[in-house]
Amino acid sequence: MIAESLAGKRIAITGSTGFVGTALVERLLRGVPECDLILLVRDGRRTPAAKRTEKEIFKNDAFDRLRDQQAEAGGETFEQMTARRVTTVAGDVSADGLGLGEAERATWASADVIIHSAATVSFDSPLDRAVEINLLGPTRIAALCHDLGVTPHLVAVSTCYVAGNRRGNAPEELVSEGPFDIGLSWRAEVDAARRLKGDTEALSRQPERLAEFRKGARSELGAAGAPALAGKTEQLRERWVKDQLVEAGRARAASVGWPDAYAFTKALGEQALTDTKGDVPVSIVRPSIIESAWAEPRPGWIRGFRMAEPVIISYARGLLKEFPGVPEGTVDVIPVDIVVAALIGVAAAGPERAPAITQVASGGINPLKYRAMIDFISGWFTDNPLYDPEGQPILVPEWNFPGRGRVEGQLNRAKSVLSRTERTLQALPLRGRQADFTATLESRRAEVETALQYVELYGLYTECEAIYQVDNLIALWDTLDEADRAAFNFDPRVVDWEHYVTRIHLPSIVQHARVKSTPGKSRSTDRMTRLRRQVLDPRRQVAAFDLENTLIASNVVESYSYLATRRLNGPERMRYVMRTLGQAPGLLRMDSRDRTDFLRHFYRRYEDAPVSQIEEDAREMMTQLIMTKSFPEGLRRVREHQALGHRTVLITGALDFAVAGLKPLFDEIVAAEMSVRPDGTYSGEMSTVPPTGEARAQILADYCDAEGFRLDECVAYADSTSDLPLMEAVGFPVAVNPETRLAAVARKRGWLVENWSKAKGAARPLLPIGPLLSERERRRVFSV
């Protein structure tokens, strides 16, 4: 009996926060009530290993069944049971000695069985990471056992795809011992991958590369300020390094006959473990493509998207109209509960009876053909379509089986067209709903890139014609009695593929994908309503507002133009207007590069302006220009925050005299200030750093610190990526009439977006100018 064989034993598990690992922990706790578990969990950046176990494992819905059983049985609660039976040790399979401290080493040494399921399972992992985890992870476990002087039964999870790009039968044997061995040295591959990582890091730091990353950061964020641009530049550098290592992994794997770095490093990992295991008994279990559960802990249970789900959902949404594959080929998938039951069966058999290698696959004994799978999927989505945002059903296309090159070519062409269109629109001064179209275009491009990635990553798997034999699996199955077969079913022949695909798997992934599966218009409006409700929650503490294009449809150029033309005659006004319009492109370029530099440059024009006269004219400008260009919804939002007891703060690059009339609306106004000469005129020079970019975030942080408020309970309203530091600093950012870059950022991050407009009937002059005065009243205030 399996449960009896494992009773009283301590079973150590790596990878317990993953898909297979979570299901394995649940099944052992429920199906083997007398065993204890040791979970190796890596500390997070902010979350210790024990907290990760509680949050990422036991909070998963896989444990709902076990929770209910514990509640019905009475006595111990679920929390009490797990506290008694489960020990978490902080460690990392990518570190020598698993990164264990002395106490953790003692706990690990007490294990009777180790089930090693930790892996980087992504098919596009960087080569160095795949080598450190998939290749060297098993050898580190064996080495630690040697160091501790213990010989637990090590059950290592590998993959059927270690067989590589072969056709025909793939038996349960080591690749290095079969006819397809090409004599690779796993040690040489480790050394090469580590050298490549160092070389790639060095290349990424060359001046010309760094200049490219800096340019890309500015293109994406605009004038977001030095810290934001520096952060984005480093992010682009790290992404470039990762992309280079991903491509290196693909290329190296393909050159020696594997579909990707995952299968390649898993194959070398088996070889390395065999070479280094010493007296540690080892059993290798190779699943094929693992998908949602057939029955345990419930039909359709899945954690995260696996290999097939992104492709299926992309097809259902109309993004993928065809996908490479061989129609008569076999798609070798296996439900996760069958894999978990096989792992437990191998562990219970012990090193004496367990096969050296056990493949858990369906293709050799209960095959699912590619055409049949597509027919199941197409038929199901025809009867149960997804819906577009307008509530119209998405008709799934008739599936074709083209070559991989044709599909990649189509997607690359679509990506190129969308990228060019996106760049063109980003160069235009669009904002609000117009900019939202550009954000939609960016999302569409990202979807095409994702589809292309699926084709590149998974195309080889759908074209694979290897048939994985499961003789050892069935031999082990034949040794079980009826009770074990009922409790730990790992026979692939039990799966009815049509029932599994249409009644279990597809309904489950549609639910997890959170796609629109009901008619009627999209409820994204409801999401905005929920976000707006959060913003206007009484628990919020401070609401910080930008001014230009956030509360008013005006800017510093318009304010200056009003004041500069206040006392000019008709011909002088015309000359001013023509000269300023001619300067506009240069001013826009300067503003897009650096807002602070632009303000310093532009405010030089106020040099020699009499302070008293400017203040007098600014009061009139408040009513004649600023209020007429205000957004009524924006001013109403300020008052709503005040009514809720929130502090309201205006942080603007406009000059203080231009916004003095807004003081009744705000508890605090932080604006740009110019120094004043002894003769009562402005110098044209700033007396403080203009409140732009990262300075705004620091101003709000200092204000909250002085007043005892929390930044994560603050709201920030702004319209441009130059305000990103401020918006990222608060808990509740709101993009108002966003320009194209900010619209894209807001969409990606799920921020509240408000599109406010001026009151109807307001004047819309090309360039605001002050009212024409009589000749007797006219006198110059400053040179134009």
Side-chain angles (χ1 to χ4, degrees):
M1 295 286 288
I2 288 176
E4 285 74 6
S5 297
L6 294 175
K9 293 190 175 180
R10 305 197 79 189
I11 303 173
I13 300 173
T14 70
S16 56
T17 59
F19 179 39
V20 173
T22 298
L24 178 62
V25 170
E26 190 276 340
R27 197 70 170 277
L28 285 169
L29 289 177
R30 179 165 53 86
V32 188
E34 299 303 320
C35 76
D36 292 333
L37 305 182
I38 302 168
L39 307 184
L40 182 78
V41 179
R42 181 168 43 84
D43 280 330
R45 289 184 179 179
R46 300 180 181 177
T47 310
K51 286 292 184 183
R52 287 192 64 202
T53 297
E54 179 183 341
K55 181 179 179 181
E56 299 179 32
I57 301 177
F58 293 138
K59 295 292 185 184
N60 190 277
D61 60 359
F63 293 88
D64 289 349
R65 178 176 175 181
L66 182 54
R67 286 178 182 276
D68 292 343
Q69 287 183 0
Q70 286 292 125
E72 290 172 5
E76 261 188 333
T77 64
F78 174 82
E79 289 73 20
Q80 290 170 334
M81 181 271 292
T82 55
R84 175 175 57 85
R85 296 180 58 191
V86 179
T87 301
T88 298
V89 296
D92 188 347
V93 296
S94 67
D96 291 339
L98 306 187
L100 300 180
E102 285 304 316
E104 289 80 9
R105 284 166 60 89
T107 301
W108 192 259
S110 68
D112 303 292
V113 178
I114 299 173
I115 301 179
H116 173 52
S117 69
T120 172
V121 298
S122 173
F123 296 139
D124 62 342
S125 293
L127 179 59
D128 65 306
R129 180 167 174 78
V131 163
E132 293 297 335
I133 297 176
N134 295 345
L135 196 164
L136 292 175
T139 69
R140 289 191 178 104
I141 293 174
L144 180 60
C145 291
H146 300 155
D147 189 33
L148 295 172
V150 295
T151 56
H153 182 198
L154 173 55
V155 181
V157 181
S158 185
T159 174
C160 284
Y161 291 94
V162 298
N165 298 326
R166 70 168 69 182
R167 290 185 172 92
N169 288 340
E172 294 161 298
E173 63 183 14
L174 283 172
V175 176
S176 59
E177 297 176 356
F180 298 97
D181 176 37
I182 60 174
L184 290 179
S185 165
W186 63 268
R187 290 183 175 87
E189 296 297 326
V190 170
D191 291 341
R194 288 173 171 172
R195 285 197 305 272
L196 180 63
K197 172 65 182 296
D199 292 345
T200 306
E201 286 283 353
L203 283 173
S204 74
R205 289 172 166 82
Q206 290 184 341
E208 58 271 20
R209 293 279 182 207
L210 294 174
E212 288 178 15
F213 303 143
R214 179 77 174 175
K215 182 179 178 181
R218 186 170 290 281
S219 175
E220 186 171 339
L221 298 184
L229 288 172
K232 174 56 69 173
T233 300
E234 179 62 10
Q235 185 183 90
L236 292 176
R237 188 197 67 80
E238 291 173 349
R239 186 185 303 167
W240 183 86
V241 170
K242 178 183 176 182
D243 289 346
Q244 297 302 304
L245 293 170
V246 166
E247 186 54 40
R250 290 180 190 168
R252 180 55 179 155
S255 73
V256 287
W258 276 276
D260 53 39
Y262 169 68
F264 171 56
T265 52
K266 276 291 191 179
L268 293 178
E270 287 189 10
Q271 179 185 335
L273 180 59
T274 303
D275 289 350
T276 61
K277 66 181 181 179
D279 57 353
V280 176
V282 171
S283 300
I284 295 173
V285 177
R286 295 174 178 165
S288 57
I289 299 169
I290 307 173
E291 291 294 348
S292 64
W294 168 252
E296 305 278 350
R298 58 175 172 76
W301 178 81
I302 194 169
R303 178 168 191 168
F305 267 15
R306 316 319 305 164
M307 172 179 160
E309 288 70 51
V311 177
I312 292 171
I313 293 299
S314 292
Y315 168 68
R317 294 178 63 196
L319 302 178
L320 270 182
K321 294 179 171 55
E322 51 189 14
F323 199 82
V326 180
E328 63 270 30
T330 298
V331 181
D332 204 316
V333 298
I334 195 77
V336 65
D337 49 336
I338 291 179
V339 175
V340 164
L343 287 169
I344 296 173
V346 169
E352 301 82 11
R353 294 190 301 115
I357 297 176
T358 304
Q359 292 184 162
V360 190
S362 60
I365 197 169
N366 181 21
L368 170 63
K369 297 298 182 180
Y370 192 29
R371 183 179 291 281
M373 183 185 74
I374 295 303
D375 289 343
F376 295 153
I377 294 170
S378 177
W380 193 84
F381 280 112
T382 298
D383 296 336
N384 307 274
L386 301 185
Y387 292 82
D388 64 22
E390 297 301 316
Q392 298 302 310
I394 299 172
L395 301 179
V396 291
E398 182 178 348
W399 194 268
N400 296 313
F401 300 90
R404 199 153 33 94
R406 192 179 100 182
V407 180
E408 289 179 3
Q410 291 174 348
L411 291 172
N412 274 316
R413 286 191 292 273
K415 174 185 172 182
S416 177
V417 170
L418 288 169
S419 296
R420 287 198 302 268
T421 306
E422 184 185 349
R423 285 195 299 270
T424 300
L425 291 176
Q426 281 187 344
L428 300 176
L430 305 177
R431 61 175 58 252
R433 290 184 173 86
Q434 294 172 323
D436 191 55
F437 172 73
T438 305
T440 302
L441 200 67
E442 182 180 5
S443 297
R444 185 69 179 181
R445 176 183 54 78
E447 290 170 348
V448 170
E449 288 178 344
T450 301
L452 179 61
Q453 186 180 40
Y454 295 156
V455 171
E456 292 172 345
L457 291 178
Y458 305 146
L460 283 170
Y461 284 86
T462 60
E463 294 173 345
C464 178
E465 296 185 77
I467 304 300
Y468 305 110
Q469 302 304 304
V470 290
D471 297 342
N472 291 342
L473 180 75
I474 297 305
L476 184 61
W477 173 257
D478 289 341
T479 66
L480 303 185
D481 59 24
E482 289 303 316
D484 275 349
R485 291 185 177 189
F488 300 96
N489 186 351
F490 53 80
D491 184 357
R493 295 169 294 190
V494 73
V495 181
D496 177 326
W497 289 115
E498 182 174 9
H499 178 83
Y500 173 75
V501 172
T502 62
R503 301 292 182 86
I504 295 176
H505 189 62
L506 292 179
S508 176
I509 67 170
V510 166
Q511 178 184 358
H512 281 80
R514 297 180 181 177
V515 290
K516 186 169 172 53
S517 57
T518 56
K521 285 201 171 185
S522 174
R523 300 183 64 183
S524 61
T525 303
D526 293 347
R527 184 173 66 86
M528 289 299 170
T529 300
R530 289 195 298 272
L531 291 172
R532 196 172 292 118
R533 195 175 297 124
Q534 293 174 6
V535 162
L536 293 172
D537 190 295
R539 289 174 295 181
R540 305 293 85 82
Q541 296 174 350
V542 179
F545 290 84
D546 178 30
L547 179 65
E548 297 170 1
N549 296 308
T550 302
L551 294 177
I552 63 170
S554 185
N555 54 55
V556 298
V557 176
E558 293 186 351
S559 297
Y560 173 82
S561 296
Y562 182 96
L563 296 171
T565 60
R566 180 82 174 85
R567 303 172 189 281
L568 299 182
N569 59 31
E572 290 170 329
R573 288 180 175 217
M574 181 57 65
R575 286 195 295 272
Y576 170 84
V577 169
M578 297 306 295
R579 183 163 57 250
T580 303
L581 290 176
Q583 295 168 347
L587 294 174
L588 284 171
R589 283 194 299 272
M590 183 179 295
D591 190 21
S592 66
R593 286 195 300 268
D594 191 292
R595 179 69 172 171
T596 299
D597 289 347
F598 164 74
L599 291 179
R600 289 186 188 280
H601 168 80
F602 191 79
Y603 288 160
R604 294 281 191 271
R605 301 180 180 215
Y606 282 95
E607 186 177 0
D608 298 330
V611 173
S612 59
Q613 189 63 61
I614 288 292
E615 291 177 347
E616 177 185 334
D617 289 347
R619 286 192 290 270
E620 185 171 335
M621 181 177 68
M622 176 59 62
T623 58
Q624 295 294 323
L625 174 65
I626 293 179
M627 295 311 295
T628 61
K629 289 206 160 195
S630 65
F631 302 138
E633 294 165 295
L635 300 183
R636 187 159 51 246
R637 179 61 57 83
V638 178
R639 294 190 182 98
E640 286 180 294
H641 281 291
Q642 287 180 322
L644 289 165
H646 304 160
R647 294 283 185 90
T648 55
V649 180
L650 178 66
I651 307 176
T652 176
L655 288 162
D656 52 356
F657 57 73
V659 297
L662 296 175
K663 286 183 178 179
L665 278 174
F666 297 96
D667 296 296
E668 189 84 19
I669 292 180
V670 181
E673 300 176 6
M674 278 191 298
S675 58
V676 179
R677 294 169 175 158
D679 64 355
T681 62
Y682 284 114
S683 67
E685 297 177 356
M686 311 304 297
S687 59
T688 58
V689 176
T692 61
E694 63 274 19
R696 295 188 177 190
Q698 189 60 54
I699 288 167
L700 183 61
D702 292 344
Y703 178 81
C704 289
D705 186 57
E707 299 294 328
F709 297 129
R710 290 169 43 189
L711 275 172
D712 61 354
E713 288 293 350
C714 293
V715 185
Y717 295 81
D719 71 295
S720 169
T721 51
S722 64
D723 300 304
L724 269 179
L726 173 65
M727 303 181 80
E728 291 174 336
V730 302
F732 301 88
V734 183
V736 180
N737 302 332
E739 44 83 37
T740 52
R741 293 186 180 95
L742 183 61
V745 171
R747 174 176 289 228
K748 286 178 183 177
R749 302 187 186 182
W751 292 350
L752 174 62
V753 176
E754 300 282 19
N755 291 301
W756 294 336
S757 57
K758 294 188 299 183
K760 292 182 180 180
R764 299 176 182 271
L766 183 62
L767 190 64
I769 54 177
L772 190 63
L773 302 179
S774 67
E775 185 66 30
R776 189 166 60 87
E777 297 172 310
R778 189 182 303 119
R779 58 186 174 89
R780 302 260 179 128
V781 178
F782 42 83
S783 172
V784 297

